Short mmCIF file of all heavy atoms in Angstrom, two decimals:
data_model
loop_
_atom_site.label_atom_id
_atom_site.label_comp_id
_atom_site.label_asym_id
_atom_site.label_seq_id
_atom_site.Cartn_x
_atom_site.Cartn_y
_atom_site.Cartn_z
N MET J 23 7.09 12.45 -24.55
CA MET J 23 7.18 12.83 -23.16
C MET J 23 7.55 14.30 -23.07
O MET J 23 8.37 14.80 -23.84
CB MET J 23 8.25 11.97 -22.46
CG MET J 23 8.35 12.26 -21.00
SD MET J 23 9.32 11.02 -20.13
CE MET J 23 10.88 11.81 -20.08
N GLU J 24 6.95 14.98 -22.12
CA GLU J 24 7.18 16.40 -21.96
C GLU J 24 7.82 16.65 -20.60
O GLU J 24 7.38 16.11 -19.58
CB GLU J 24 5.84 17.14 -22.03
CG GLU J 24 5.96 18.63 -21.84
CD GLU J 24 4.60 19.31 -21.87
OE1 GLU J 24 3.67 18.78 -22.51
OE2 GLU J 24 4.48 20.36 -21.24
N ILE J 25 8.87 17.45 -20.57
CA ILE J 25 9.52 17.83 -19.32
C ILE J 25 9.21 19.29 -19.06
O ILE J 25 9.44 20.14 -19.92
CB ILE J 25 11.04 17.61 -19.38
CG1 ILE J 25 11.34 16.14 -19.60
CG2 ILE J 25 11.70 18.11 -18.10
CD1 ILE J 25 12.80 15.82 -19.78
N ARG J 26 8.65 19.55 -17.88
CA ARG J 26 8.31 20.93 -17.51
C ARG J 26 8.97 21.26 -16.18
O ARG J 26 9.02 20.41 -15.29
CB ARG J 26 6.80 21.11 -17.37
CG ARG J 26 6.02 20.87 -18.61
CD ARG J 26 4.55 21.06 -18.48
NE ARG J 26 4.06 21.03 -17.10
CZ ARG J 26 2.84 21.40 -16.74
NH1 ARG J 26 1.99 21.80 -17.61
NH2 ARG J 26 2.47 21.33 -15.48
N PHE J 27 9.44 22.46 -16.04
CA PHE J 27 10.01 22.92 -14.79
C PHE J 27 9.01 23.89 -14.16
O PHE J 27 8.82 25.00 -14.66
CB PHE J 27 11.36 23.60 -15.03
CG PHE J 27 12.40 22.65 -15.54
CD1 PHE J 27 12.63 22.52 -16.90
CD2 PHE J 27 13.11 21.86 -14.66
CE1 PHE J 27 13.58 21.64 -17.39
CE2 PHE J 27 14.06 20.96 -15.13
CZ PHE J 27 14.29 20.85 -16.50
N ILE J 28 8.36 23.42 -13.09
CA ILE J 28 7.34 24.23 -12.42
C ILE J 28 7.55 24.16 -10.91
O ILE J 28 8.24 23.29 -10.40
CB ILE J 28 5.91 23.78 -12.80
CG1 ILE J 28 5.68 22.33 -12.41
CG2 ILE J 28 5.66 23.98 -14.27
CD1 ILE J 28 4.27 21.83 -12.66
N THR J 29 6.88 25.04 -10.20
CA THR J 29 6.98 25.05 -8.75
C THR J 29 6.09 23.95 -8.16
O THR J 29 5.23 23.38 -8.85
CB THR J 29 6.52 26.39 -8.16
OG1 THR J 29 5.13 26.56 -8.44
CG2 THR J 29 7.32 27.55 -8.73
N LYS J 30 6.32 23.66 -6.90
CA LYS J 30 5.51 22.65 -6.21
C LYS J 30 4.04 23.09 -6.19
O LYS J 30 3.14 22.27 -6.38
CB LYS J 30 6.02 22.47 -4.79
CG LYS J 30 5.27 21.42 -4.01
CD LYS J 30 5.86 21.23 -2.64
CE LYS J 30 5.08 20.20 -1.86
NZ LYS J 30 5.64 19.97 -0.53
N GLU J 31 3.80 24.36 -5.97
CA GLU J 31 2.43 24.88 -5.92
C GLU J 31 1.74 24.69 -7.28
O GLU J 31 0.56 24.30 -7.34
CB GLU J 31 2.41 26.35 -5.51
CG GLU J 31 2.81 26.60 -4.08
CD GLU J 31 4.31 26.56 -3.84
OE1 GLU J 31 5.09 26.65 -4.83
OE2 GLU J 31 4.72 26.41 -2.67
N GLU J 32 2.46 24.98 -8.36
CA GLU J 32 1.89 24.80 -9.70
C GLU J 32 1.61 23.32 -9.98
O GLU J 32 0.56 22.98 -10.53
CB GLU J 32 2.84 25.34 -10.76
CG GLU J 32 2.97 26.85 -10.77
CD GLU J 32 4.07 27.33 -11.69
OE1 GLU J 32 5.11 26.66 -11.81
OE2 GLU J 32 3.89 28.40 -12.30
N SER J 33 2.52 22.47 -9.56
CA SER J 33 2.33 21.03 -9.76
C SER J 33 1.10 20.53 -9.00
O SER J 33 0.29 19.78 -9.53
CB SER J 33 3.57 20.29 -9.29
OG SER J 33 3.37 18.90 -9.33
N THR J 34 0.97 20.98 -7.75
CA THR J 34 -0.17 20.58 -6.93
C THR J 34 -1.47 21.05 -7.56
O THR J 34 -2.45 20.29 -7.63
CB THR J 34 -0.03 21.14 -5.50
OG1 THR J 34 1.18 20.63 -4.93
CG2 THR J 34 -1.21 20.77 -4.64
N LYS J 35 -1.47 22.29 -8.03
CA LYS J 35 -2.68 22.85 -8.68
C LYS J 35 -3.04 22.06 -9.93
O LYS J 35 -4.21 21.72 -10.14
CB LYS J 35 -2.45 24.32 -9.02
CG LYS J 35 -3.65 25.00 -9.63
CD LYS J 35 -3.35 26.45 -9.95
CE LYS J 35 -4.53 27.08 -10.62
NZ LYS J 35 -4.21 27.62 -11.93
N ASP J 36 -2.03 21.72 -10.75
CA ASP J 36 -2.28 20.95 -11.97
C ASP J 36 -2.87 19.56 -11.65
O ASP J 36 -3.82 19.13 -12.29
CB ASP J 36 -1.00 20.77 -12.77
CG ASP J 36 -0.52 22.07 -13.42
OD1 ASP J 36 -1.30 23.05 -13.45
OD2 ASP J 36 0.63 22.08 -13.90
N ARG J 37 -2.27 18.89 -10.66
CA ARG J 37 -2.76 17.56 -10.30
C ARG J 37 -4.18 17.63 -9.75
O ARG J 37 -5.03 16.78 -10.05
CB ARG J 37 -1.84 16.90 -9.26
CG ARG J 37 -0.56 16.38 -9.88
CD ARG J 37 0.32 15.63 -8.91
NE ARG J 37 0.90 16.55 -7.94
CZ ARG J 37 0.69 16.50 -6.62
NH1 ARG J 37 -0.07 15.58 -6.11
NH2 ARG J 37 1.26 17.38 -5.82
N GLN J 38 -4.46 18.66 -8.94
CA GLN J 38 -5.81 18.82 -8.41
C GLN J 38 -6.82 19.06 -9.51
O GLN J 38 -7.91 18.47 -9.52
CB GLN J 38 -5.84 19.96 -7.40
CG GLN J 38 -7.19 20.13 -6.74
CD GLN J 38 -7.21 21.25 -5.73
OE1 GLN J 38 -6.41 22.18 -5.79
NE2 GLN J 38 -8.12 21.17 -4.78
N GLU J 39 -6.49 19.91 -10.47
CA GLU J 39 -7.39 20.20 -11.57
C GLU J 39 -7.67 18.94 -12.39
O GLU J 39 -8.82 18.69 -12.77
CB GLU J 39 -6.82 21.30 -12.46
CG GLU J 39 -6.89 22.67 -11.84
CD GLU J 39 -6.18 23.74 -12.67
OE1 GLU J 39 -5.63 23.42 -13.74
OE2 GLU J 39 -6.20 24.90 -12.24
N GLU J 40 -6.63 18.14 -12.65
CA GLU J 40 -6.81 16.89 -13.40
C GLU J 40 -7.72 15.93 -12.63
O GLU J 40 -8.58 15.28 -13.20
CB GLU J 40 -5.46 16.23 -13.68
CG GLU J 40 -4.65 16.94 -14.75
CD GLU J 40 -5.34 16.98 -16.10
OE1 GLU J 40 -5.89 15.93 -16.52
OE2 GLU J 40 -5.35 18.06 -16.73
N PHE J 41 -7.52 15.86 -11.32
CA PHE J 41 -8.33 14.97 -10.50
C PHE J 41 -9.80 15.42 -10.49
O PHE J 41 -10.71 14.60 -10.60
CB PHE J 41 -7.78 14.93 -9.06
CG PHE J 41 -8.53 14.02 -8.14
CD1 PHE J 41 -8.36 12.64 -8.23
CD2 PHE J 41 -9.40 14.51 -7.19
CE1 PHE J 41 -9.04 11.79 -7.39
CE2 PHE J 41 -10.08 13.67 -6.34
CZ PHE J 41 -9.90 12.31 -6.43
N LEU J 42 -10.03 16.72 -10.39
CA LEU J 42 -11.40 17.23 -10.34
C LEU J 42 -12.13 17.09 -11.68
O LEU J 42 -13.35 17.15 -11.72
CB LEU J 42 -11.40 18.69 -9.88
CG LEU J 42 -10.96 18.89 -8.42
CD1 LEU J 42 -10.89 20.37 -8.10
CD2 LEU J 42 -11.88 18.16 -7.47
N LYS J 43 -11.39 16.87 -12.77
CA LYS J 43 -12.02 16.63 -14.07
C LYS J 43 -12.65 15.23 -14.14
O LYS J 43 -13.50 14.98 -14.98
CB LYS J 43 -11.01 16.78 -15.20
CG LYS J 43 -10.59 18.21 -15.47
CD LYS J 43 -9.56 18.26 -16.59
CE LYS J 43 -9.01 19.64 -16.78
NZ LYS J 43 -7.96 19.67 -17.82
N LEU J 44 -12.22 14.34 -13.24
CA LEU J 44 -12.74 12.97 -13.24
C LEU J 44 -14.16 12.94 -12.69
O LEU J 44 -14.54 13.78 -11.87
CB LEU J 44 -11.86 12.06 -12.37
CG LEU J 44 -10.40 11.91 -12.78
CD1 LEU J 44 -9.66 11.10 -11.73
CD2 LEU J 44 -10.27 11.28 -14.14
N SER J 45 -14.93 11.95 -13.12
CA SER J 45 -16.27 11.76 -12.57
C SER J 45 -16.13 11.23 -11.15
O SER J 45 -15.06 10.70 -10.78
CB SER J 45 -17.06 10.77 -13.42
OG SER J 45 -16.53 9.47 -13.24
N PRO J 46 -17.17 11.32 -10.32
CA PRO J 46 -17.08 10.78 -8.96
C PRO J 46 -16.67 9.30 -8.92
O PRO J 46 -15.86 8.89 -8.10
CB PRO J 46 -18.49 10.98 -8.40
CG PRO J 46 -18.98 12.20 -9.13
CD PRO J 46 -18.42 12.06 -10.52
N ALA J 47 -17.19 8.51 -9.84
CA ALA J 47 -16.84 7.09 -9.88
C ALA J 47 -15.36 6.90 -10.23
O ALA J 47 -14.68 6.06 -9.64
CB ALA J 47 -17.71 6.35 -10.89
N GLU J 48 -14.86 7.71 -11.17
CA GLU J 48 -13.45 7.63 -11.53
C GLU J 48 -12.55 8.07 -10.38
O GLU J 48 -11.47 7.51 -10.17
CB GLU J 48 -13.16 8.50 -12.76
CG GLU J 48 -13.76 7.97 -14.04
CD GLU J 48 -13.66 8.94 -15.18
OE1 GLU J 48 -13.81 10.18 -14.96
OE2 GLU J 48 -13.43 8.48 -16.31
N ARG J 49 -13.02 9.03 -9.59
CA ARG J 49 -12.25 9.47 -8.41
C ARG J 49 -12.13 8.35 -7.40
O ARG J 49 -11.05 8.13 -6.84
CB ARG J 49 -12.91 10.67 -7.76
CG ARG J 49 -12.86 11.93 -8.58
CD ARG J 49 -13.53 13.07 -7.86
NE ARG J 49 -13.80 14.16 -8.78
CZ ARG J 49 -14.45 15.25 -8.46
NH1 ARG J 49 -14.90 15.40 -7.23
NH2 ARG J 49 -14.66 16.19 -9.35
N VAL J 50 -13.22 7.65 -7.14
CA VAL J 50 -13.19 6.53 -6.19
C VAL J 50 -12.25 5.44 -6.69
O VAL J 50 -11.42 4.91 -5.94
CB VAL J 50 -14.61 5.97 -5.95
CG1 VAL J 50 -14.56 4.68 -5.17
CG2 VAL J 50 -15.46 7.00 -5.22
N MET J 51 -12.36 5.10 -7.97
CA MET J 51 -11.49 4.07 -8.53
C MET J 51 -10.03 4.51 -8.49
O MET J 51 -9.13 3.70 -8.22
CB MET J 51 -11.90 3.73 -9.96
CG MET J 51 -13.26 3.03 -10.05
SD MET J 51 -13.41 1.59 -8.97
CE MET J 51 -12.23 0.49 -9.71
N SER J 52 -9.77 5.79 -8.70
CA SER J 52 -8.41 6.32 -8.61
C SER J 52 -7.88 6.16 -7.19
O SER J 52 -6.72 5.78 -6.98
CB SER J 52 -8.40 7.79 -9.02
OG SER J 52 -7.14 8.36 -8.85
N PHE J 53 -8.72 6.44 -6.21
CA PHE J 53 -8.32 6.26 -4.80
C PHE J 53 -8.01 4.80 -4.51
O PHE J 53 -7.01 4.48 -3.87
CB PHE J 53 -9.43 6.76 -3.88
CG PHE J 53 -9.20 6.40 -2.44
CD1 PHE J 53 -8.26 7.09 -1.69
CD2 PHE J 53 -9.90 5.36 -1.86
CE1 PHE J 53 -8.03 6.75 -0.37
CE2 PHE J 53 -9.68 5.01 -0.53
CZ PHE J 53 -8.75 5.71 0.21
N PHE J 54 -8.86 3.89 -4.97
CA PHE J 54 -8.62 2.46 -4.73
C PHE J 54 -7.32 2.01 -5.41
O PHE J 54 -6.56 1.23 -4.83
CB PHE J 54 -9.78 1.61 -5.22
CG PHE J 54 -11.02 1.72 -4.37
CD1 PHE J 54 -12.27 1.55 -4.93
CD2 PHE J 54 -10.95 1.98 -3.02
CE1 PHE J 54 -13.41 1.64 -4.16
CE2 PHE J 54 -12.08 2.07 -2.23
CZ PHE J 54 -13.32 1.90 -2.80
N GLU J 55 -7.06 2.49 -6.60
CA GLU J 55 -5.82 2.13 -7.30
C GLU J 55 -4.60 2.64 -6.54
O GLU J 55 -3.61 1.93 -6.38
CB GLU J 55 -5.83 2.67 -8.74
CG GLU J 55 -4.57 2.40 -9.51
CD GLU J 55 -4.25 0.93 -9.69
OE1 GLU J 55 -5.18 0.10 -9.67
OE2 GLU J 55 -3.05 0.61 -9.83
N LEU J 56 -4.68 3.88 -6.05
CA LEU J 56 -3.59 4.42 -5.26
C LEU J 56 -3.37 3.60 -4.00
O LEU J 56 -2.24 3.27 -3.64
CB LEU J 56 -3.88 5.87 -4.89
CG LEU J 56 -2.88 6.54 -3.95
CD1 LEU J 56 -1.49 6.62 -4.58
CD2 LEU J 56 -3.37 7.91 -3.55
N SER J 57 -4.46 3.21 -3.33
CA SER J 57 -4.37 2.39 -2.13
C SER J 57 -3.70 1.06 -2.43
O SER J 57 -2.89 0.56 -1.65
CB SER J 57 -5.76 2.15 -1.54
OG SER J 57 -6.34 3.37 -1.18
N ARG J 58 -4.02 0.46 -3.57
CA ARG J 58 -3.44 -0.81 -3.96
C ARG J 58 -1.94 -0.67 -4.24
O ARG J 58 -1.13 -1.50 -3.85
CB ARG J 58 -4.16 -1.37 -5.18
CG ARG J 58 -3.94 -2.85 -5.40
CD ARG J 58 -4.73 -3.31 -6.55
NE ARG J 58 -3.84 -3.16 -7.71
CZ ARG J 58 -4.09 -3.63 -8.90
NH1 ARG J 58 -5.22 -4.24 -9.14
NH2 ARG J 58 -3.25 -3.48 -9.88
N ARG J 59 -1.56 0.42 -4.92
CA ARG J 59 -0.15 0.64 -5.23
C ARG J 59 0.68 0.88 -3.98
O ARG J 59 1.85 0.52 -3.93
CB ARG J 59 0.00 1.81 -6.21
CG ARG J 59 -0.49 1.45 -7.60
CD ARG J 59 -0.23 2.49 -8.67
NE ARG J 59 0.34 3.74 -8.24
CZ ARG J 59 -0.11 4.93 -8.63
NH1 ARG J 59 -1.13 5.02 -9.45
NH2 ARG J 59 0.48 6.03 -8.21
N ILE J 60 0.07 1.50 -2.97
CA ILE J 60 0.78 1.78 -1.72
C ILE J 60 1.20 0.48 -1.04
O ILE J 60 2.23 0.44 -0.37
CB ILE J 60 -0.07 2.66 -0.79
CG1 ILE J 60 -0.11 4.09 -1.34
CG2 ILE J 60 0.44 2.65 0.64
CD1 ILE J 60 -1.03 5.02 -0.60
N LEU J 61 0.45 -0.59 -1.24
CA LEU J 61 0.78 -1.87 -0.63
C LEU J 61 2.14 -2.40 -1.10
O LEU J 61 2.74 -3.24 -0.43
CB LEU J 61 -0.30 -2.91 -0.93
CG LEU J 61 -1.66 -2.68 -0.28
CD1 LEU J 61 -2.66 -3.72 -0.77
CD2 LEU J 61 -1.54 -2.70 1.23
N ARG J 62 2.62 -1.97 -2.24
CA ARG J 62 3.89 -2.43 -2.78
C ARG J 62 5.10 -1.74 -2.16
O ARG J 62 6.23 -2.16 -2.37
CB ARG J 62 3.92 -2.23 -4.29
CG ARG J 62 2.88 -3.06 -5.01
CD ARG J 62 3.02 -2.91 -6.52
NE ARG J 62 1.85 -3.48 -7.15
CZ ARG J 62 1.17 -2.90 -8.12
NH1 ARG J 62 1.53 -1.74 -8.58
NH2 ARG J 62 0.12 -3.50 -8.65
N PHE J 63 4.88 -0.67 -1.39
CA PHE J 63 5.98 0.03 -0.77
C PHE J 63 6.56 -0.78 0.37
O PHE J 63 5.84 -1.48 1.08
CB PHE J 63 5.50 1.38 -0.22
CG PHE J 63 5.39 2.46 -1.27
CD1 PHE J 63 4.34 2.45 -2.17
CD2 PHE J 63 6.35 3.45 -1.36
CE1 PHE J 63 4.23 3.42 -3.13
CE2 PHE J 63 6.24 4.44 -2.32
CZ PHE J 63 5.20 4.42 -3.21
N PRO J 64 7.88 -0.71 0.58
CA PRO J 64 8.51 -1.43 1.68
C PRO J 64 7.95 -0.96 3.02
O PRO J 64 7.62 0.21 3.19
CB PRO J 64 9.98 -1.07 1.57
CG PRO J 64 10.16 -0.44 0.25
CD PRO J 64 8.85 0.06 -0.21
N THR J 65 7.87 -1.87 3.97
CA THR J 65 7.35 -1.53 5.28
C THR J 65 8.06 -2.35 6.36
O THR J 65 8.60 -3.41 6.07
CB THR J 65 5.82 -1.77 5.35
OG1 THR J 65 5.37 -1.44 6.65
CG2 THR J 65 5.47 -3.21 5.05
N ASN J 66 8.01 -1.86 7.58
CA ASN J 66 8.54 -2.59 8.73
C ASN J 66 7.44 -3.29 9.50
O ASN J 66 7.69 -3.89 10.54
CB ASN J 66 9.29 -1.63 9.67
CG ASN J 66 10.55 -1.09 9.02
OD1 ASN J 66 11.17 -1.74 8.19
ND2 ASN J 66 10.93 0.12 9.38
N ALA J 67 6.22 -3.24 9.01
CA ALA J 67 5.08 -3.84 9.70
C ALA J 67 5.25 -5.37 9.75
O ALA J 67 5.74 -5.98 8.80
CB ALA J 67 3.78 -3.49 8.99
N THR J 68 4.81 -5.94 10.84
CA THR J 68 4.87 -7.39 10.98
C THR J 68 3.62 -8.02 10.37
O THR J 68 2.63 -7.33 10.12
CB THR J 68 4.95 -7.79 12.47
OG1 THR J 68 3.75 -7.35 13.11
CG2 THR J 68 6.17 -7.16 13.14
N ALA J 69 3.66 -9.31 10.16
CA ALA J 69 2.51 -10.02 9.60
C ALA J 69 1.30 -9.90 10.52
O ALA J 69 0.16 -9.80 10.05
CB ALA J 69 2.86 -11.48 9.37
N ASP J 70 1.51 -9.89 11.83
CA ASP J 70 0.40 -9.77 12.78
C ASP J 70 -0.34 -8.44 12.62
O ASP J 70 -1.56 -8.40 12.64
CB ASP J 70 0.88 -9.89 14.22
CG ASP J 70 1.27 -11.30 14.59
OD1 ASP J 70 0.85 -12.24 13.87
OD2 ASP J 70 1.99 -11.48 15.59
N SER J 71 0.40 -7.36 12.47
CA SER J 71 -0.26 -6.05 12.35
C SER J 71 -1.01 -5.93 11.04
O SER J 71 -2.00 -5.24 10.95
CB SER J 71 0.77 -4.92 12.49
OG SER J 71 1.65 -4.93 11.40
N LYS J 72 -0.53 -6.60 9.98
CA LYS J 72 -1.21 -6.54 8.69
C LYS J 72 -2.54 -7.29 8.72
O LYS J 72 -3.45 -6.96 8.00
CB LYS J 72 -0.31 -7.12 7.59
CG LYS J 72 0.84 -6.22 7.23
CD LYS J 72 1.62 -6.81 6.08
CE LYS J 72 2.76 -5.91 5.67
NZ LYS J 72 3.50 -6.45 4.56
N GLN J 73 -2.65 -8.31 9.54
CA GLN J 73 -3.87 -9.12 9.58
C GLN J 73 -5.04 -8.38 10.21
O GLN J 73 -6.18 -8.75 10.02
CB GLN J 73 -3.61 -10.43 10.33
CG GLN J 73 -2.70 -11.36 9.57
CD GLN J 73 -2.39 -12.62 10.36
OE1 GLN J 73 -2.78 -12.74 11.51
NE2 GLN J 73 -1.69 -13.55 9.74
N LYS J 74 -4.77 -7.32 10.94
CA LYS J 74 -5.84 -6.58 11.63
C LYS J 74 -6.42 -5.47 10.76
O LYS J 74 -7.36 -4.80 11.17
CB LYS J 74 -5.30 -6.00 12.93
CG LYS J 74 -4.89 -7.06 13.92
CD LYS J 74 -4.32 -6.44 15.17
CE LYS J 74 -3.81 -7.54 16.09
NZ LYS J 74 -3.17 -7.00 17.27
N ASN J 75 -5.88 -5.27 9.58
CA ASN J 75 -6.35 -4.20 8.70
C ASN J 75 -7.63 -4.62 7.98
O ASN J 75 -7.86 -5.78 7.68
CB ASN J 75 -5.29 -3.83 7.66
CG ASN J 75 -4.09 -3.17 8.29
OD1 ASN J 75 -4.18 -2.62 9.38
ND2 ASN J 75 -2.98 -3.22 7.60
N PHE J 76 -8.45 -3.62 7.68
CA PHE J 76 -9.65 -3.82 6.88
C PHE J 76 -9.23 -3.76 5.42
O PHE J 76 -8.57 -2.82 5.00
CB PHE J 76 -10.66 -2.70 7.19
CG PHE J 76 -11.93 -2.79 6.41
CD1 PHE J 76 -12.90 -3.73 6.74
CD2 PHE J 76 -12.14 -1.96 5.33
CE1 PHE J 76 -14.06 -3.80 6.02
CE2 PHE J 76 -13.31 -2.04 4.61
CZ PHE J 76 -14.27 -2.95 4.96
N VAL J 77 -9.58 -4.78 4.65
CA VAL J 77 -9.12 -4.88 3.26
C VAL J 77 -10.31 -4.92 2.31
O VAL J 77 -11.23 -5.70 2.51
CB VAL J 77 -8.26 -6.15 3.06
CG1 VAL J 77 -7.83 -6.29 1.61
CG2 VAL J 77 -7.07 -6.13 3.98
N LEU J 78 -10.27 -4.07 1.28
CA LEU J 78 -11.25 -4.10 0.21
C LEU J 78 -10.61 -4.72 -1.01
O LEU J 78 -9.50 -4.33 -1.38
CB LEU J 78 -11.72 -2.68 -0.15
CG LEU J 78 -12.51 -1.93 0.89
CD1 LEU J 78 -12.79 -0.52 0.40
CD2 LEU J 78 -13.82 -2.63 1.16
N ARG J 79 -11.27 -5.67 -1.63
CA ARG J 79 -10.73 -6.30 -2.83
C ARG J 79 -11.73 -6.21 -3.96
O ARG J 79 -12.92 -6.44 -3.76
CB ARG J 79 -10.40 -7.77 -2.56
CG ARG J 79 -9.26 -7.91 -1.58
CD ARG J 79 -8.68 -9.30 -1.62
NE ARG J 79 -7.50 -9.32 -0.77
CZ ARG J 79 -7.32 -10.20 0.20
NH1 ARG J 79 -8.21 -11.13 0.44
NH2 ARG J 79 -6.24 -10.16 0.91
N LYS J 80 -11.23 -5.87 -5.14
CA LYS J 80 -12.07 -5.80 -6.33
C LYS J 80 -12.25 -7.21 -6.85
O LYS J 80 -11.33 -8.02 -6.85
CB LYS J 80 -11.36 -4.93 -7.36
CG LYS J 80 -12.15 -4.68 -8.61
CD LYS J 80 -11.47 -3.63 -9.49
CE LYS J 80 -10.27 -4.23 -10.16
NZ LYS J 80 -9.69 -3.34 -11.18
N LYS J 81 -13.49 -7.56 -7.28
CA LYS J 81 -13.73 -8.88 -7.82
C LYS J 81 -12.78 -9.17 -8.96
O LYS J 81 -12.53 -8.34 -9.81
CB LYS J 81 -15.17 -8.99 -8.35
CG LYS J 81 -16.18 -9.25 -7.30
CD LYS J 81 -17.53 -9.53 -7.94
CE LYS J 81 -18.54 -9.94 -6.90
NZ LYS J 81 -19.82 -10.30 -7.49
N GLY J 82 -12.23 -10.40 -8.95
CA GLY J 82 -11.32 -10.81 -10.01
C GLY J 82 -9.90 -10.35 -9.80
O GLY J 82 -9.02 -10.65 -10.59
N ASP J 83 -9.64 -9.60 -8.71
CA ASP J 83 -8.29 -9.13 -8.43
C ASP J 83 -7.52 -10.24 -7.75
O ASP J 83 -7.99 -10.84 -6.80
CB ASP J 83 -8.38 -7.90 -7.52
CG ASP J 83 -7.09 -7.09 -7.53
OD1 ASP J 83 -6.16 -7.49 -8.25
OD2 ASP J 83 -7.05 -6.08 -6.82
N GLY J 84 -6.34 -10.54 -8.24
CA GLY J 84 -5.57 -11.66 -7.74
C GLY J 84 -4.85 -11.38 -6.43
O GLY J 84 -4.09 -12.22 -5.96
N ILE J 85 -5.03 -10.24 -5.85
CA ILE J 85 -4.32 -9.92 -4.60
C ILE J 85 -4.97 -10.57 -3.42
O ILE J 85 -6.11 -10.63 -3.23
CB ILE J 85 -4.22 -8.38 -4.38
CG1 ILE J 85 -3.36 -7.77 -5.46
CG2 ILE J 85 -3.62 -8.06 -3.03
CD1 ILE J 85 -3.26 -6.27 -5.37
#
């Protein structure tokens, strides 16, 4: 593991460069994975409001 002390701007630039190295298909899959991980964050939303959302599910995904 490497620990680096950099500015926010440098960190943002590094993350953007890494993302742009991905193929278009990998970028889409990265977005879907991020969207799936966001679902695990705590929320104050009620069950009713969650039912109105548009949901994409990957085949074989147990969610």
